[in-house]
Amino acid sequence: MALTMYDVERFEAARPRLEAIAYRLLGSASEAEDAVQDTFLRWQAADVGRIEVPEAWLTKVLTNLCLNQLTSARARRETYVGQWLPEPLLGGDPMLGPADTAEQRESVSYAVLTLLERLSPGERAVYVLRAAFDYPHREIAEILDITEAASQQIFHRAKKHVADGKARAEIDGAAARRIVEEFLAAATSGRTEPLVRLLTEDAVAIGDGGGKVPARAKAFEGALAVAKFLRGLFKPSKAKEAYVGGSYEVHATTANGGPAVVGVVDGRVVGVMCLEITADGIAAFRSQVNPDKLDRATRRWAATGHGEPGTSAL
């Protein structure tokens, strides 16, 4: 049956929420957009007049599409070149979804999105629907065709996995901004010692180049190793400018709700480094430099204002 304009408007009203769910489930903005479009095609083919609760129907269809995608993605990631990291979203991107509660903000943080890769597709779905969108376990059970008790058990297990993988307690936004500014000053100083002082002893640095941009397959571990890597990374050179195709600017900003450093060349985002900051210092650097995962960041960067290179836009 052909959709009426009212039916299309109902779907479009649900699109932002559906995209936010799909992004948390898949860790990819482009794949999230595809999943939502596939959901629309199923909405278009359905007898929508017989659907009593469109939101529940759309969420169920989308979630199951994402579960299928996650299952095939696991096989693809076994052959992925180097580390696989989620696609970062810069501050203000509507796909970040709700951020009213601490649990909602945490569920879309870059650190937690990375941790969600450890969960089974079912665990990830329950965690996202409950923690980020506050779905009751009764509704989650209906979406996933499981019992309410099973939903509760899966959520408890998933939440524990995420909690076990997280760094120590984070600090407030003002302190995080100050540390990012100090980090940029230290990283561009050409010296290792100022960087070491900002890092936790067990700090790590990992990057995702997808085989298209050089990125070390194995993480750097320990404050000194990470500091030496960062010193070299931020050291300007003609060779680096030639490789990225122009003058490289560095900005402090936010990505996935947390502090980040963005590398920009002629308005094109060529890297997003997400920082995990704790009371003890910077615990992790996760850098996305795969160009396939930076298109949306580039569009977002072009559409928003930002400070001068090396200054804070947090």
Side-chain angles (χ1 to χ4, degrees), residues 177-213:
R177 284 192 292 272
R178 186 186 70 250
I179 291 176
V180 173
E181 290 166 354
E182 291 176 1
F183 163 70
L184 276 180
T188 55
S189 71
R191 299 169 55 224
T192 302
E193 295 79 6
L195 281 167
V196 171
R197 288 196 293 270
L198 292 173
L199 310 181
T200 61
E201 290 185 5
D202 56 353
V204 298
I206 58 176
D208 176 352
K212 299 186 176 184
V213 173

Side-chain angles (χ1 to χ4, degrees), residues 47-249:
D47 185 356
V48 297
R50 298 173 65 87
I51 298 174
E52 295 182 4
V53 186
E55 178 182 314
W57 189 92
L58 291 169
T59 303
K60 183 180 179 74
V61 170
L62 174 79
T63 301
N64 282 285
L65 285 169
C66 289
L67 287 174
N68 291 337
Q69 179 77 359
L70 281 171
T71 301
S72 61
R74 286 196 161 203
R76 292 199 310 274
R77 287 170 194 171
E78 289 178 2
T79 60
Y80 191 83
V81 179
Q83 294 275 352
W84 187 96
L85 290 174
E87 181 177 346
L89 297 182
L90 299 186
D93 192 310
M95 197 177 279
L96 290 169
D100 298 326
T101 68
E103 204 162 33
Q104 287 174 336
R105 292 189 293 273
E106 180 182 78
S107 71
V108 80
S109 70
Y110 207 65
V112 168
L113 280 182
T114 304
L115 287 171
L116 291 183
E117 289 295 306
R118 302 180 183 181
L119 305 182
S120 70
E123 288 174 334
R124 187 164 183 163
V126 171
Y127 180 85
V128 166
L129 291 172
R130 180 63 183 160
F133 295 90
D134 202 28
Y135 276 85
H137 283 291
R138 174 182 54 78
E139 292 184 24
I140 296 173
E142 292 174 357
I143 290 169
L144 299 176
D145 292 324
I146 58 178
T147 66
E148 187 172 345
S151 177
Q152 293 170 339
Q153 291 169 358
I154 292 170
F155 178 68
H156 177 75
R157 186 167 65 244
K159 192 173 182 180
K160 185 177 186 303
H161 285 325
V162 171
D164 288 345
K166 284 171 53 183
R168 293 158 295 280
E170 298 178 1
I171 60 175
D172 64 81
R177 284 192 292 272
R178 186 186 70 250
I179 291 176
V180 173
E181 290 166 354
E182 291 176 1
F183 163 70
L184 276 180
T188 55
S189 71
R191 299 169 55 224
T192 302
E193 295 79 6
L195 281 167
V196 171
R197 288 196 293 270
L198 292 173
L199 310 181
T200 61
E201 290 185 5
D202 56 353
V204 298
I206 58 176
D208 176 352
K212 299 186 176 184
V213 173
R216 180 180 162 103
K218 186 178 179 182
F220 290 92
E221 299 181 355
L224 183 58
V226 171
K228 288 181 177 179
F229 160 69
L230 293 170
R231 182 192 63 191
L233 182 67
F234 282 86
K235 184 177 181 180
S237 71
K238 293 294 183 182
K240 288 180 183 176
E241 287 191 7
Y243 183 81
V244 298
S247 179
Y248 189 87
E249 297 179 352

Side-chain angles (χ1 to χ4, degrees), residues 250-263:
V250 177
H251 297 258
T253 185
T254 60
N256 292 77
V261 175
V262 177

